Amino acid sequence: MRKFFILLAALVGGSAMAQMPEMANVATNAQLKINRLGSSELTVEISNPNSAKVNDAAVCIQLPANNIYKSATVTVDGKEVPSQMDDLNGDGIKDELAFVIDLKKKASKTASIVFSTEEASADRYPARVHAQMWFKDKDKSHNPKQHIPTDTVSERVDNMYSAMHHHGPAFESDQVAYRIYFDKKQSTDLYGKKVRQLELADGLWYSAENKALAERNFGDDIILVGQTISIGTLRGWDNSVDTSKKDAKGKPLSKMVMIDPFAWRQAHIVAKGPVRTVVDMNVEGWQYKGKTLNLKSRYILYAGNRECEVIQQFEGDTKGVEFVTGVIRVGSLHPDDPALTLKPSYWKDNRGTCASFGMDWADNNHELYPVPQRAGVACAVPEHYVSNCYIDNNQVLNGVQTDRDNAIRYRISFCAPDKETFARWKNDQAWYDYVASWRDLQPVRVIQK
């Protein structure tokens, strides 16, 4: 059985990579784009435009298309800082250099970069992030279970969700962890931490099922997302639906449209660290509003950060087509549950940022997860993408449309105050005050010297 799963992983990963045409987007809006590297050395100045200190601020340098270098050594204030170079489109050429930096308010620092044609070893720097995906081990004789790791999985029929341990890729910093469901929902789920550490490699997301991990202060899943937008998930939107009516199973109809039908779907871990993770969820042949669309949903998480950058990159005609993203109203799925002593609330600025704070169960198994917990979620979409604002009983949504690059770029973040010993948001107002300042936080600026 184990050999079968290894063979399956190899076949799925290989065929998926051959089929997916890479789109013309990079992992982030690079603070600096280099058209050519005249030598193996580069000096850049990094400045903080904000009126507050920034810790672990992302620095991203987009390298030229003919780049020959495979690694780099970055020095700031005479000290080497961890970095990574990523091949984002699988063509064998490194596309971006990434590292993080601390800066006082309105301060600047100079970074010296020396490039090398040698590949860096995987353990060159201690990992500050982690990403993983597994085929589930269904052999009940194995103790512990022997899940099969993979970086890529694909399907043409919606049937791999249950075959994947934790149902898709998961990735973490030392503050938070996210996972993306590999199905038509493509929902983002959340894992809260008690202390700042990496946990997924040992806990495999479901740490509540292993009592030994409690002694290591491991966190766990924190909310139920159901069919909602969760946090920052992208969905379609159909204003013609009458939500007062019910479907064949007796559930109220929703205006929200899942990513279905589709022709082909892939989950792919592009980068695992040590500084950032990059995860792609690729879909081809999504039939939506008479259009045939291809979609790359890219998620980028940097070391020391709780926010995740999201890029929705389309192929196909999206002119005038509306999608939605936003946040679940935490706890709203169980409005009459007496155990949920904190009622859900939400906040929005009518410019693209929305947030929620509430209490919910992490799972419907209340024996394994006996205590509901508070959570705060937020999604910040730049105003120029926003077309509408929609609010229903379970979520706060922004109608969004693509830019001239056929993309939508935004950020998501969350907190788990009942778990985090390092959290400072103990109520909804504290969370919303933070979200308002986080919304306005500007990325550091990088110029070549």
Side-chain angles (χ1 to χ4, degrees):
M1 179 65 72
R2 182 175 177 84
K3 290 182 179 179
F4 168 77
F5 271 116
I6 293 174
L7 178 61
L8 174 64
L11 289 174
V12 170
S15 63
M17 290 301 289
Q19 293 166 3
M20 184 65 189
E22 285 294 335
M23 302 173 192
N25 68 298
V26 293
T28 183
N29 291 324
Q31 291 102 326
L32 179 63
K33 181 177 180 179
I34 303 296
N35 293 319
R36 62 181 297 272
L37 285 170
S39 70
S40 62
E41 297 185 8
L42 179 69
T43 301
V44 297
E45 183 178 85
I46 308 161
S47 60
N48 175 16
N50 300 286
S51 297
K53 179 182 178 181
V54 291
N55 293 320
D56 290 315
V59 177
C60 180
I61 298 174
Q62 185 180 339
L63 303 172
N66 62 349
N67 171 50
I68 63 171
Y69 300 112
K70 296 183 178 180
S71 65
T73 300
V74 180
T75 304
V76 179
D77 291 338
K79 181 180 179 182
E80 183 175 344
V81 300
S83 64
Q84 70 186 69
M85 287 175 64
D86 296 321
D87 175 8
L88 298 168
N89 58 12
D91 66 355
I93 297 174
K94 300 290 187 178
D95 303 298
E96 288 184 355
L97 168 68
F99 56 97
V100 295
I101 188 171
D102 297 341
L103 284 169
K104 296 179 180 179
K105 65 178 183 180
K106 302 294 185 179
S108 298
K109 289 185 178 181
T110 297
S112 299
I113 303 167
V114 179
F115 293 97
S116 171
T117 56
E118 298 296 320
E119 194 79 52
S121 62
D123 59 353
R124 180 185 183 188
Y125 301 112
R128 296 188 62 199
V129 292
H130 170 78
Q132 63 182 31
M133 187 162 54
W134 307 85
F135 289 107
K136 189 182 295 182
D137 179 4
K138 295 185 178 180
D139 189 336
K140 297 186 182 301
S141 69
H142 291 159
N143 186 21
K145 293 181 179 179
Q146 300 174 34
H147 301 309
I148 311 301
T150 183
D151 286 345
T152 308
V153 62
S154 68
E155 64 181 8
R156 293 193 177 275
V157 180
D158 194 7
N159 62 3
M160 287 297 294
Y161 173 85
S162 296
M164 308 302 295
H165 181 70
H166 57 60
H167 305 303
F171 49 96
E172 66 175 331
S173 68
D174 67 348
Q175 295 191 50
V176 294
Y178 299 84
R179 63 173 169 173
I180 314 296
Y181 288 145
F182 188 57
D183 64 0
K184 65 182 180 181
K185 300 189 302 294
Q186 204 167 292
S187 302
T188 308
D189 200 13
L190 311 177
Y191 178 109
K193 299 193 176 188
K194 296 179 181 178
V195 296
R196 296 185 62 166
Q197 61 185 5
L198 299 182
E199 303 179 2
L200 293 187
D202 293 334
L204 300 180
W205 192 274
Y206 303 108
S207 60
E209 299 177 6
N210 187 338
K211 294 182 179 179
L213 297 179
E215 299 177 0
R216 296 169 61 182
N217 282 321
F218 272 38
D220 213 322
D221 204 327
I222 59 171
I223 63 170
L224 284 168
V225 300
Q227 302 293 310
T228 72
I229 204 75
S230 180
I231 169 178
T233 306
L234 187 81
R235 300 268 171 80
W237 189 253
D238 187 351
N239 262 322
S240 68
V241 172
D242 184 353
T243 56
S244 67
K245 296 181 179 180
K246 297 183 178 180
D247 63 16
K249 295 182 179 180
K251 294 182 179 180
L253 294 174
S254 174
K255 293 181 182 293
M256 206 158 52
V257 178
M258 304 294 181
I259 304 178
D260 187 61
F262 70 100
W264 178 83
R265 176 188 293 132
Q266 179 197 68
H268 177 46
I269 298 174
V270 180
K272 296 182 175 182
V275 172
R276 69 177 179 184
T277 62
V278 181
V279 172
D280 287 351
M281 305 296 286
N282 299 312
V283 176
E284 287 184 346
W286 179 21
Q287 302 300 310
Y288 176 57
K289 292 190 175 181
K291 311 278 188 178
T292 299
L293 303 175
N294 295 343
L295 170 64
K296 176 188 291 294
S297 301
R298 176 162 280 179
Y299 302 84
I300 310 106
L301 179 66
Y302 280 87
N305 282 258
R306 68 174 61 239
E307 82 161 38
C308 179
E309 298 179 43
V310 185
I311 300 174
Q312 307 288 357
Q313 180 74 56
F314 287 90
E315 281 185 340
D317 179 15
T318 60
K319 185 177 180 180
V321 178
E322 186 177 57
F323 307 89
V324 291
T325 191
V327 296
I328 183 176
R329 297 172 67 177
V330 178
S332 64
L333 296 177
H334 307 100
D336 301 318
D337 190 333
L340 304 182
T341 56
L342 178 65
K343 298 303 179 185
S345 66
Y346 71 89
W347 174 89
K348 61 184 179 67
D349 66 358
N350 296 317
R351 294 190 288 133
T353 299
C354 56
S356 169
F357 193 92
M359 175 182 288
D360 205 355
W361 300 97
D363 193 275
N364 286 321
N365 183 340
H366 294 177
E367 183 176 345
L368 190 61
Y369 297 87
V371 181
Q373 301 199 35
R374 294 176 297 167
V377 295
C379 179
V381 181
E383 189 172 6
H384 66 272
Y385 294 111
V386 178
S387 52
N388 280 297
C389 181
Y390 304 108
I391 300 172
D392 65 22
N393 291 333
N394 300 128
Q395 51 208 343
V396 184
L397 305 173
N398 284 304
V400 292
Q401 296 183 347
T402 57
D403 60 17
R404 63 184 180 182
D405 294 326
N406 218 13
I408 306 167
R409 299 172 172 87
Y410 52 94
R411 300 176 295 146
I412 59 177
S413 187
F414 75 93
C415 69
D418 289 331
K419 286 195 185 304
E420 297 176 8
T421 57
F422 52 92
R424 59 184 185 274
W425 309 289
K426 298 301 183 182
N427 56 56
D428 56 356
Q429 191 57 56
W431 175 243
Y432 300 149
D433 288 345
Y434 163 76
V435 171
S437 61
W438 166 72
R439 170 201 61 194
D440 297 330
L441 191 66
Q442 298 181 57
V444 296
R445 297 169 183 167
V446 185
I447 61 171
Q448 185 175 355
K449 296 188 70 175

